[in-house]
Amino acid sequence: MAAGHCVGCQHNSKCLVPCTFLSLGFTRSLSITTPEQMIEKAKGETAYLPCKFTLSPEDQGPLDIEWLISPADNQKVDQVIILYSGDKIYDDYYPDLKGRVHFTSNDLKSGDASINVTNLQLSDIGTYQCKVKKAPGVANKKIQLVVLVKPSGTRCYVDGSEEIGSDFKLKCEPKEGSLPLQYEWQKLSDSQKMPTSWLAEMTLSVISVKNASSEYSGTYSCTVRNRVGSDQCLLRLNVVPPSNKAGLIAGAIIGTLLALVLIGLIIFCCHKKRREEKYEKEVHHDIREDVPPPKSRTSTARSYIGSNHSSLGSMSPSNMEGYSKTQYNQVPSEDFERTPQSPTLPPAKFEYPYKTDGITVV
Protein backbone atom coordinates (compact mmCIF):
# COMPACT_ATOMS: atom_id res chain seq x y z
CA MET A 1 0.00 0.00 0.00
CA ALA A 2 1.59 3.23 -1.17
CA ALA A 3 -0.59 5.85 0.59
CA GLY A 4 -3.86 6.25 2.55
CA HIS A 5 -5.66 8.29 5.17
CA CYS A 6 -8.24 7.74 7.93
CA VAL A 7 -11.72 9.08 7.35
CA GLY A 8 -13.88 9.59 10.47
CA CYS A 9 -13.65 10.87 14.06
CA GLN A 10 -10.06 9.96 14.59
CA HIS A 11 -9.56 12.87 17.01
CA ASN A 12 -12.86 12.48 18.88
CA SER A 13 -12.81 9.72 21.40
CA LYS A 14 -16.59 9.79 21.70
CA CYS A 15 -17.16 9.32 18.00
CA LEU A 16 -18.82 6.02 17.22
CA VAL A 17 -17.83 6.05 13.53
CA PRO A 18 -14.90 3.75 13.04
CA CYS A 19 -11.73 5.00 11.46
CA THR A 20 -11.59 3.78 7.86
CA PHE A 21 -8.44 3.76 5.75
CA LEU A 22 -8.88 4.40 2.08
CA SER A 23 -6.36 2.92 -0.28
CA LEU A 24 -5.21 5.33 -2.88
CA GLY A 25 -2.98 2.88 -4.87
CA PHE A 26 -0.44 -0.06 -4.81
CA THR A 27 3.26 -0.39 -5.84
CA ARG A 28 4.87 -3.59 -7.05
CA SER A 29 8.69 -4.26 -6.74
CA LEU A 30 11.12 -6.96 -8.04
CA SER A 31 10.50 -10.38 -6.52
CA ILE A 32 11.76 -13.97 -6.87
CA THR A 33 8.89 -16.41 -7.25
CA THR A 34 10.90 -19.61 -6.68
CA PRO A 35 10.54 -20.87 -3.09
CA GLU A 36 13.49 -21.79 -0.95
CA GLN A 37 14.11 -25.54 -1.05
CA MET A 38 16.55 -28.40 -0.65
CA ILE A 39 17.69 -30.44 -3.65
CA GLU A 40 19.30 -33.90 -3.44
CA LYS A 41 21.29 -35.29 -6.34
CA ALA A 42 23.70 -38.13 -6.93
CA LYS A 43 27.41 -37.64 -7.47
CA GLY A 44 28.19 -37.21 -11.17
CA GLU A 45 24.70 -36.01 -12.08
CA THR A 46 23.51 -32.50 -13.00
CA ALA A 47 21.68 -30.32 -10.48
CA TYR A 48 19.11 -27.78 -11.67
CA LEU A 49 18.88 -24.78 -9.30
CA PRO A 50 15.78 -22.69 -10.15
CA CYS A 51 15.53 -18.90 -9.76
CA LYS A 52 12.53 -17.23 -11.44
CA PHE A 53 11.84 -13.52 -10.89
CA THR A 54 9.44 -10.76 -11.91
CA LEU A 55 10.08 -7.04 -12.39
CA SER A 56 7.96 -3.96 -11.70
CA PRO A 57 7.62 -0.87 -13.89
CA GLU A 58 9.55 1.09 -11.29
CA ASP A 59 12.64 -1.17 -11.72
CA GLN A 60 14.49 0.86 -14.31
CA GLY A 61 18.13 0.22 -13.41
CA PRO A 62 20.54 -2.22 -15.08
CA LEU A 63 19.88 -5.92 -14.44
CA ASP A 64 22.47 -7.74 -12.32
CA ILE A 65 22.22 -11.45 -11.43
CA GLU A 66 24.60 -13.08 -8.98
CA TRP A 67 24.88 -16.64 -7.66
CA LEU A 68 26.89 -17.30 -4.49
CA ILE A 69 27.83 -20.43 -2.56
CA SER A 70 28.27 -20.96 1.18
CA PRO A 71 30.33 -24.18 1.48
CA ALA A 72 29.03 -26.82 3.89
CA ASP A 73 32.25 -26.87 5.93
CA ASN A 74 31.65 -23.25 7.01
CA GLN A 75 35.37 -22.60 6.62
CA LYS A 76 34.94 -20.18 3.72
CA VAL A 77 32.90 -17.01 3.27
CA ASP A 78 30.28 -16.70 0.56
CA GLN A 79 31.87 -16.74 -2.87
CA VAL A 80 30.52 -15.73 -6.27
CA ILE A 81 30.27 -18.66 -8.71
CA ILE A 82 28.63 -16.95 -11.72
CA LEU A 83 27.62 -13.36 -12.52
CA TYR A 84 25.54 -11.55 -15.11
CA SER A 85 26.21 -7.80 -15.40
CA GLY A 86 26.24 -5.36 -18.28
CA ASP A 87 24.80 -7.98 -20.61
CA LYS A 88 27.85 -10.18 -20.03
CA ILE A 89 28.34 -13.50 -18.18
CA TYR A 90 31.31 -14.16 -15.90
CA ASP A 91 31.74 -17.76 -14.70
CA ASP A 92 35.37 -18.05 -13.65
CA TYR A 93 35.13 -16.76 -10.09
CA TYR A 94 35.10 -20.09 -8.24
CA PRO A 95 37.85 -22.57 -9.27
CA ASP A 96 36.05 -25.68 -7.92
CA LEU A 97 33.09 -25.05 -10.25
CA LYS A 98 34.91 -23.60 -13.23
CA GLY A 99 33.41 -24.97 -16.42
CA ARG A 100 30.61 -26.78 -14.54
CA VAL A 101 28.10 -23.98 -13.85
CA HIS A 102 25.91 -22.36 -16.54
CA PHE A 103 22.75 -20.27 -16.88
CA THR A 104 19.89 -22.30 -18.32
CA SER A 105 18.31 -19.39 -20.24
CA ASN A 106 19.77 -17.54 -23.18
CA ASP A 107 17.68 -14.45 -22.30
CA LEU A 108 18.08 -13.62 -18.63
CA LYS A 109 15.95 -10.46 -18.97
CA SER A 110 12.94 -12.70 -19.49
CA GLY A 111 12.87 -13.49 -15.79
CA ASP A 112 14.80 -16.81 -15.55
CA ALA A 113 18.10 -16.77 -13.65
CA SER A 114 18.23 -20.56 -13.05
CA ILE A 115 21.53 -22.43 -13.33
CA ASN A 116 22.80 -25.98 -13.92
CA VAL A 117 25.72 -27.50 -11.99
CA THR A 118 27.12 -30.45 -13.94
CA ASN A 119 29.18 -33.49 -12.88
CA LEU A 120 28.37 -33.01 -9.21
CA GLN A 121 31.07 -33.68 -6.63
CA LEU A 122 30.91 -33.99 -2.86
CA SER A 123 32.69 -30.64 -2.61
CA ASP A 124 29.65 -29.00 -4.27
CA ILE A 125 27.53 -29.53 -1.15
CA GLY A 126 26.43 -26.21 0.34
CA THR A 127 23.91 -23.38 0.30
CA TYR A 128 23.46 -21.54 -3.01
CA GLN A 129 21.98 -18.03 -3.10
CA CYS A 130 20.41 -16.29 -6.09
CA LYS A 131 20.49 -12.46 -6.04
CA VAL A 132 18.67 -10.31 -8.59
CA LYS A 133 19.14 -6.53 -8.71
CA LYS A 134 17.38 -3.96 -10.86
CA ALA A 135 17.29 -0.65 -9.11
CA PRO A 136 15.49 0.09 -7.01
CA GLY A 137 14.37 -3.55 -6.74
CA VAL A 138 16.50 -6.22 -5.00
CA ALA A 139 15.59 -9.83 -4.13
CA ASN A 140 17.31 -13.10 -3.17
CA LYS A 141 16.50 -16.75 -2.47
CA LYS A 142 18.51 -19.65 -1.02
CA ILE A 143 18.66 -23.29 -2.16
CA GLN A 144 20.29 -26.12 -0.22
CA LEU A 145 22.17 -28.60 -2.43
CA VAL A 146 22.98 -32.06 -1.09
CA VAL A 147 25.19 -34.41 -3.14
CA LEU A 148 24.84 -38.11 -2.35
CA VAL A 149 26.77 -41.14 -3.57
CA LYS A 150 24.87 -44.02 -5.12
CA PRO A 151 25.61 -47.52 -3.76
CA SER A 152 28.11 -49.24 -6.04
CA GLY A 153 30.62 -52.07 -6.07
CA THR A 154 28.41 -54.18 -3.78
CA ARG A 155 29.95 -57.53 -2.82
CA CYS A 156 28.14 -60.60 -1.42
CA TYR A 157 30.13 -63.37 0.26
CA VAL A 158 30.04 -66.10 2.91
CA ASP A 159 32.08 -65.57 6.06
CA GLY A 160 32.76 -69.04 7.47
CA SER A 161 32.61 -72.71 6.49
CA GLU A 162 29.66 -73.76 4.32
CA GLU A 163 29.21 -77.13 6.04
CA ILE A 164 26.18 -78.84 7.50
CA GLY A 165 25.83 -78.03 11.19
CA SER A 166 28.26 -75.10 11.10
CA ASP A 167 27.67 -71.40 11.78
CA PHE A 168 28.52 -68.73 9.23
CA LYS A 169 27.42 -65.31 7.99
CA LEU A 170 26.07 -63.96 4.71
CA LYS A 171 27.47 -60.47 4.13
CA CYS A 172 26.45 -57.68 1.75
CA GLU A 173 28.94 -54.79 1.53
CA PRO A 174 28.82 -51.87 -0.95
CA LYS A 175 32.15 -50.29 -1.84
CA GLU A 176 30.64 -46.81 -1.56
CA GLY A 177 27.26 -45.21 -0.89
CA SER A 178 25.89 -42.33 1.14
CA LEU A 179 24.03 -43.11 4.35
CA PRO A 180 21.40 -44.10 5.23
CA LEU A 181 21.50 -47.41 3.34
CA GLN A 182 18.70 -49.96 3.13
CA TYR A 183 19.24 -53.69 2.52
CA GLU A 184 16.94 -56.35 1.12
CA TRP A 185 17.78 -60.08 0.85
CA GLN A 186 15.92 -62.47 -1.46
CA LYS A 187 16.25 -66.14 -2.38
CA LEU A 188 16.11 -66.63 -6.15
CA SER A 189 16.29 -70.42 -6.47
CA ASP A 190 14.49 -73.55 -5.24
CA SER A 191 11.44 -72.70 -3.14
CA GLN A 192 12.38 -68.99 -3.06
CA LYS A 193 11.42 -68.98 0.61
CA MET A 194 13.87 -67.67 3.13
CA PRO A 195 14.43 -69.75 6.28
CA THR A 196 12.17 -68.59 9.10
CA SER A 197 15.11 -67.89 11.39
CA TRP A 198 16.47 -65.37 8.88
CA LEU A 199 13.37 -63.19 8.57
CA ALA A 200 14.41 -60.81 11.33
CA GLU A 201 17.65 -60.03 9.46
CA MET A 202 16.31 -59.70 5.92
CA THR A 203 16.83 -55.93 5.97
CA LEU A 204 20.33 -55.99 7.46
CA SER A 205 23.71 -56.13 5.75
CA VAL A 206 24.63 -59.36 7.61
CA ILE A 207 22.59 -62.55 8.09
CA SER A 208 23.84 -64.87 10.84
CA VAL A 209 23.28 -68.56 10.00
CA LYS A 210 23.18 -71.07 12.85
CA ASN A 211 23.37 -74.87 12.50
CA ALA A 212 23.27 -74.78 8.71
CA SER A 213 21.43 -77.46 6.74
CA SER A 214 21.46 -78.47 3.06
CA GLU A 215 18.06 -76.77 2.60
CA TYR A 216 19.81 -73.41 2.87
CA SER A 217 21.65 -74.02 -0.40
CA GLY A 218 20.65 -71.78 -3.30
CA THR A 219 21.19 -68.41 -4.98
CA TYR A 220 20.54 -65.24 -2.99
CA SER A 221 20.46 -61.57 -3.96
CA CYS A 222 21.12 -58.49 -1.86
CA THR A 223 19.86 -55.06 -2.96
CA VAL A 224 21.32 -51.90 -1.40
CA ARG A 225 19.43 -48.59 -1.70
CA ASN A 226 19.68 -44.98 -0.65
CA ARG A 227 17.80 -41.83 -1.70
CA VAL A 228 19.61 -41.47 -5.03
CA GLY A 229 20.18 -45.02 -6.30
CA SER A 230 20.59 -48.74 -5.72
CA ASP A 231 22.96 -51.63 -6.41
CA GLN A 232 22.69 -55.43 -6.27
CA CYS A 233 24.93 -58.48 -5.83
CA LEU A 234 24.35 -62.26 -6.07
CA LEU A 235 25.59 -65.06 -3.81
CA ARG A 236 25.63 -68.82 -4.42
CA LEU A 237 25.37 -70.78 -1.16
CA ASN A 238 26.26 -74.49 -1.24
CA VAL A 239 25.97 -76.23 2.13
CA VAL A 240 27.91 -79.54 2.01
CA PRO A 241 28.64 -82.40 4.46
CA PRO A 242 31.59 -81.85 6.81
CA SER A 243 34.96 -82.76 5.40
CA ASN A 244 37.47 -85.15 7.01
CA LYS A 245 39.50 -82.53 8.80
CA ALA A 246 41.70 -85.05 10.61
CA GLY A 247 42.75 -86.63 7.31
CA LEU A 248 43.43 -83.25 5.80
CA ILE A 249 45.57 -82.22 8.77
CA ALA A 250 47.52 -85.50 8.69
CA GLY A 251 48.08 -85.20 4.96
CA ALA A 252 49.29 -81.65 5.37
CA ILE A 253 51.74 -82.68 8.09
CA ILE A 254 53.10 -85.63 6.06
CA GLY A 255 53.45 -83.47 2.99
CA THR A 256 55.35 -80.85 4.97
CA LEU A 257 57.73 -83.47 6.43
CA LEU A 258 58.42 -84.99 3.01
CA ALA A 259 59.16 -81.56 1.62
CA LEU A 260 61.60 -80.88 4.47
CA VAL A 261 63.35 -84.24 3.91
CA LEU A 262 63.67 -83.57 0.20
CA ILE A 263 65.11 -80.14 0.84
CA GLY A 264 67.58 -81.64 3.32
CA LEU A 265 68.75 -84.25 0.78
CA ILE A 266 69.26 -81.62 -1.86
CA ILE A 267 71.31 -79.47 0.52
CA PHE A 268 73.39 -82.50 1.60
CA CYS A 269 74.16 -83.56 -1.98
CA CYS A 270 75.14 -80.07 -2.98
CA HIS A 271 77.42 -79.75 0.05
CA LYS A 272 79.04 -83.12 -0.64
CA LYS A 273 79.68 -82.28 -4.27
CA ARG A 274 81.30 -78.99 -3.31
CA ARG A 275 83.59 -80.72 -0.83
CA GLU A 276 84.70 -83.25 -3.48
CA GLU A 277 85.42 -80.50 -6.01
CA LYS A 278 87.37 -78.55 -3.40
CA TYR A 279 89.43 -81.66 -2.48
CA GLU A 280 90.30 -82.41 -6.14
CA LYS A 281 91.46 -78.84 -6.66
CA GLU A 282 93.67 -78.95 -3.54
CA VAL A 283 95.30 -82.29 -4.54
CA HIS A 284 95.99 -81.09 -8.07
CA HIS A 285 97.52 -77.91 -6.73
CA ASP A 286 99.83 -79.80 -4.34
CA ILE A 287 101.10 -82.11 -7.12
CA ARG A 288 102.00 -79.24 -9.38
CA GLU A 289 103.85 -77.30 -6.68
CA ASP A 290 105.61 -80.06 -4.62
CA VAL A 291 106.61 -82.74 -7.23
CA PRO A 292 109.44 -81.77 -9.64
CA PRO A 293 108.93 -82.73 -13.30
CA PRO A 294 110.46 -86.15 -14.28
CA LYS A 295 113.72 -86.25 -16.21
CA SER A 296 113.76 -87.33 -19.80
CA ARG A 297 114.35 -91.07 -19.99
CA THR A 298 115.98 -90.77 -23.39
CA SER A 299 118.48 -88.24 -22.11
CA THR A 300 119.25 -90.48 -19.12
CA ALA A 301 119.99 -93.41 -21.35
CA ARG A 302 122.18 -91.36 -23.65
CA SER A 303 124.14 -89.86 -20.78
CA TYR A 304 124.63 -93.29 -19.28
CA ILE A 305 125.96 -94.78 -22.49
CA GLY A 306 128.00 -91.68 -23.26
CA SER A 307 129.75 -91.85 -19.89
CA ASN A 308 131.12 -95.25 -20.75
CA HIS A 309 131.94 -94.49 -24.37
CA SER A 310 135.44 -93.25 -23.63
CA SER A 311 136.54 -96.57 -22.24
CA LEU A 312 135.53 -98.52 -25.32
CA GLY A 313 138.51 -97.34 -27.36
CA SER A 314 141.01 -98.92 -25.04
CA MET A 315 139.30 -102.27 -24.90
CA SER A 316 140.75 -105.19 -26.72
CA PRO A 317 138.69 -107.47 -28.93
CA SER A 318 139.04 -110.29 -26.48
CA ASN A 319 137.09 -108.63 -23.73
CA MET A 320 134.91 -106.43 -25.91
CA GLU A 321 132.06 -108.88 -26.15
CA GLY A 322 131.86 -109.51 -22.43
CA TYR A 323 132.09 -105.88 -21.61
CA SER A 324 129.35 -104.92 -23.97
CA LYS A 325 127.02 -107.48 -22.52
CA THR A 326 127.82 -106.46 -19.01
CA GLN A 327 127.46 -102.73 -19.62
CA TYR A 328 124.21 -102.90 -21.53
CA ASN A 329 122.75 -105.21 -19.01
CA GLN A 330 123.40 -102.59 -16.35
CA VAL A 331 121.30 -99.92 -18.09
CA PRO A 332 117.98 -99.72 -16.22
CA SER A 333 115.27 -101.32 -18.24
CA GLU A 334 112.75 -98.68 -17.10
CA ASP A 335 114.62 -96.05 -19.11
CA PHE A 336 113.84 -97.92 -22.33
CA GLU A 337 110.39 -99.26 -21.70
CA ARG A 338 108.60 -96.31 -23.26
CA THR A 339 111.30 -95.14 -25.66
CA PRO A 340 109.96 -95.55 -29.19
CA GLN A 341 113.44 -96.05 -30.71
CA SER A 342 116.74 -97.22 -29.22
CA PRO A 343 119.40 -94.57 -29.23
CA THR A 344 121.76 -94.84 -32.22
CA LEU A 345 125.42 -94.90 -31.20
CA PRO A 346 128.18 -93.90 -33.61
CA PRO A 347 130.29 -96.92 -34.72
CA ALA A 348 133.45 -97.38 -32.72
CA LYS A 349 136.72 -97.61 -34.54
CA PHE A 350 138.99 -100.47 -33.38
CA GLU A 351 142.53 -101.25 -34.49
CA TYR A 352 143.40 -104.96 -34.39
CA PRO A 353 147.12 -106.06 -33.80
CA TYR A 354 148.93 -107.86 -36.58
CA LYS A 355 152.41 -109.34 -37.07
CA THR A 356 154.94 -108.28 -39.58
CA ASP A 357 158.42 -109.66 -39.74
CA GLY A 358 157.89 -111.33 -36.40
CA ILE A 359 156.98 -108.04 -34.75
CA THR A 360 153.55 -107.46 -33.33
CA VAL A 361 152.11 -104.08 -34.31
CA VAL A 362 149.17 -102.57 -32.52
Side-chain angles (χ1 to χ4, degrees):
M1 184 178 295
H5 65 278
C6 181
V7 178
C9 305
Q10 56 180 343
H11 300 293
N12 188 352
S13 60
K14 294 181 180 181
C15 181
L16 299 178
V17 179
C19 179
T20 304
F21 285 89
L22 298 179
S23 177
L24 299 181
F26 293 89
T27 61
R28 188 178 119 203
S29 61
L30 186 154
S31 65
I32 296 177
T33 59
T34 302
E36 293 188 351
Q37 57 188 294
M38 183 180 73
I39 298 176
E40 289 183 346
K41 284 291 182 178
K43 178 183 177 183
E45 294 183 347
T46 296
Y48 169 71
L49 308 184
C51 183
K52 302 289 184 67
F53 63 92
T54 59
L55 300 174
S56 69
E58 289 78 11
D59 299 326
Q60 298 297 324
L63 177 63
D64 292 333
I65 300 173
E66 186 179 58
W67 277 89
L68 302 94
I69 182 175
S70 299
D73 56 11
N74 296 321
Q75 299 296 321
K76 300 178 182 178
V77 298
D78 293 355
Q79 298 189 47
V80 177
I81 60 175
I82 191 168
L83 173 67
Y84 172 81
S85 180
D87 295 330
K88 292 184 179 180
I89 297 175
Y90 305 91
D91 58 0
D92 57 352
Y93 286 96
Y94 192 61
D96 291 348
L97 285 172
K98 186 176 182 179
R100 295 194 294 121
V101 59
H102 313 280
F103 284 109
T104 59
S105 175
N106 295 325
D107 184 12
L108 299 180
K109 296 178 180 180
S110 64
D112 188 359
S114 304
I115 62 172
N116 280 334
V117 180
T118 62
N119 189 23
L120 288 173
Q121 303 298 317
L122 296 179
S123 59
D124 299 337
I125 297 174
T127 301
Y128 292 75
Q129 183 176 184
C130 174
K131 286 186 176 182
V132 180
K133 303 176 184 178
K134 189 172 177 63
V138 177
N140 67 83
K141 288 287 182 174
K142 293 183 179 180
I143 297 177
Q144 185 74 27
L145 177 62
V146 178
V147 180
L148 302 176
V149 179
K150 293 180 180 180
S152 63
T154 305
R155 173 173 171 254
C156 295
Y157 64 97
V158 179
D159 184 7
S161 177
E162 302 176 45
E163 296 182 350
I164 295 176
S166 63
D167 299 340
F168 53 83
K169 294 180 179 179
L170 307 183
K171 292 188 175 183
C172 179
E173 297 179 352
K175 185 177 181 181
E176 61 178 1
S178 298
L179 300 176
L181 295 172
Q182 297 176 349
Y183 298 86
E184 181 183 0
W185 287 89
Q186 289 182 336
K187 189 175 183 180
L188 305 179
S189 59
D190 300 335
S191 63
Q192 296 186 353
K193 292 183 180 180
M194 299 290 287
T196 305
S197 59
W198 297 8
L199 296 179
E201 300 177 331
M202 293 294 295
T203 57
L204 301 178
S205 62
V206 179
I207 295 179
S208 298
V209 180
K210 304 291 184 181
N211 192 22
S213 66
S214 59
E215 298 178 354
Y216 295 171
S217 298
T219 302
Y220 296 83
S221 71
C222 174
T223 303
V224 188
R225 294 185 178 90
N226 63 8
R227 294 195 297 269
V228 293
S230 64
D231 194 28
Q232 187 181 69
C233 63
L234 298 178
L235 181 149
R236 175 63 187 175
L237 180 63
N238 187 24
V239 182
V240 298
S243 59
N244 186 2
K245 296 183 179 180
L248 293 176
I249 295 174
I253 294 174
I254 293 174
T256 303
L257 292 176
L258 291 176
L260 292 175
V261 171
L262 180 61
I263 294 173
L265 288 175
I266 293 174
I267 295 174
F268 174 77
C269 292
C270 293
H271 183 66
K272 182 179 179 181
K273 185 176 181 180
R274 289 179 180 177
R275 289 184 62 184
E276 291 176 353
E277 292 177 352
K278 183 178 180 182
Y279 176 76
E280 291 178 358
K281 290 180 180 180
E282 291 179 351
V283 171
H284 182 69
H285 182 72
D286 292 342
I287 291 175
R288 294 186 63 182
E289 288 188 354
D290 300 338
V291 179
K295 295 181 179 181
S296 174
R297 292 189 176 96
T298 304
S299 300
T300 303
R302 289 181 179 177
S303 61
Y304 179 82
I305 296 173
S307 61
N308 294 282
H309 182 266
S310 59
S311 60
L312 293 178
S314 59
M315 298 297 293
S316 62
S318 60
N319 57 9
M320 187 67 181
E321 182 179 357
Y323 177 81
S324 298
K325 292 179 180 181
T326 302
Q327 293 298 323
Y328 279 97
N329 288 336
Q330 292 178 358
V331 176
S333 61
E334 63 179 2
D335 292 337
F336 294 91
E337 288 176 357
R338 298 182 182 179
T339 304
Q341 294 181 356
S342 299
T344 304
L345 299 177
K349 295 181 180 181
F350 299 101
E351 294 180 358
Y352 296 94
Y354 63 94
K355 290 181 180 182
T356 178
D357 298 332
I359 301 173
T360 302
V361 179
V362 180

